[in-house]
Amino acid sequence: MLPGSPAISPRGWIAALALLALALGVALGAAPPAAAFPPDVPPKAQVQTELNSLTVAAEGSMSGYSRDLFPHWTTVSGTCNTRETVLKRDGTNVTTGADCYPTGGSWYSYFDGVTRSSPAQISIDHVVALAEAWRSGASSWTTARRQQFANDVTGPQLIAVTTEVNSSKGDRDPADWKPPRTASWCGYAKFWIHTKYRWNLKIDSAEKSAVQSMLNGCSY
């Protein structure tokens, strides 16, 4: 400390260290703020272990598939359904009406780096698409379990993104589609792997190779 300079309290040191840690995290490519990130995203080492444990198998048939077999946007709490819950969770300064639909706020789309201020321009992406889940094992589930999967707000299976990037993704897996924003590849791979692990879904060899490549680039 320089002579005559004011003393820094312990609380001041803690705040300074927190700011330094934040700066280092940004510089090293750490995970983005929670407002742009879904919940329950494990560290790289854990996700690698989860990927190694997934059953590798060819994708199943689409025979019998229907989105209606995955009832979604069910009520989560009060007047808020799943879509509205994720819009509130993933947005910034979100205000809502009595029906829980947003009346204000903004949304940063992690996959393409675009910020929008209209909820009508935001889609809630099923990271592992419903059709992909069907091909990976969900065809044998009960409708109740498929409903739980389609409305999973506790894991990284749902994320608010622009309607354009959601449409471009469709039901493709990482072997056929990756986010246009390459800085999101690490997070995307983690979301995908952890979701498949949590729901005991299979993975095909090309898909596994694609997520492994993206996971290799993770710094967190």
Side-chain angles (χ1 to χ4, degrees), residues 77-81 83-107 119:
S77 177
T79 60
C80 298
N81 65 22
R83 170 177 163 77
E84 293 156 350
T85 298
V86 177
L87 284 172
K88 289 172 65 178
R89 184 197 73 192
D90 289 2
T92 301
N93 298 323
V94 177
T95 56
T96 61
D99 60 356
C100 200
Y101 192 77
T103 56
S106 64
W107 291 266

Side-chain angles (χ1 to χ4, degrees), residues 49-101:
T49 299
E50 293 175 353
L51 176 59
N52 295 344
S53 73
L54 294 179
T55 298
V56 179
E59 288 191 340
S61 169
M62 286 294 290
S63 177
Y65 169 75
S66 168
R67 286 179 65 85
D68 292 340
L69 295 173
F70 293 80
H72 52 286
W73 305 166
T74 56
T75 300
V76 175
S77 177
T79 60
C80 298
N81 65 22
T82 307
R83 170 177 163 77
E84 293 156 350
T85 298
V86 177
L87 284 172
K88 289 172 65 178
R89 184 197 73 192
D90 289 2
T92 301
N93 298 323
V94 177
T95 56
T96 61
D99 60 356
C100 200
Y101 192 77

Side-chain angles (χ1 to χ4, degrees), residues 174 177-179 185-186 188-189 209-218:
W177 186 90
K178 296 179 179 63
W185 286 6
C186 171
Y188 176 55
S209 177
V211 291
Q212 180 67 75
S213 178
M214 289 188 285
L215 187 62
N216 289 344
C218 285

Side-chain angles (χ1 to χ4, degrees), residues 155-202:
Q157 160 64 349
L158 297 172
I159 185 171
V161 297
T162 60
T163 55
E164 298 95 325
V165 82
N166 187 51
S167 295
S168 74
K169 174 175 175 280
D171 67 354
R172 292 183 288 175
D173 70 30
D176 297 317
W177 186 90
K178 296 179 179 63
R181 177 176 169 266
T182 56
S184 70
W185 286 6
C186 171
Y188 176 55
K190 286 185 167 191
F191 306 162
W192 187 276
I193 296 164
H194 192 50
T195 296
K196 286 222 159 177
Y197 176 81
R198 291 176 70 242
W199 290 92
N200 195 28
L201 293 169
K202 298 174 183 177

Side-chain angles (χ1 to χ4, degrees), residues 19-63:
L19 288 172
L20 177 60
L22 177 61
L24 286 173
V26 171
L28 295 173
F37 225 45
D40 187 28
V41 182
K44 179 179 179 179
Q46 178 181 332
V47 177
Q48 182 64 67
T49 299
E50 293 175 353
L51 176 59
N52 295 344
S53 73
L54 294 179
T55 298
V56 179
E59 288 191 340
S61 169
M62 286 294 290
S63 177

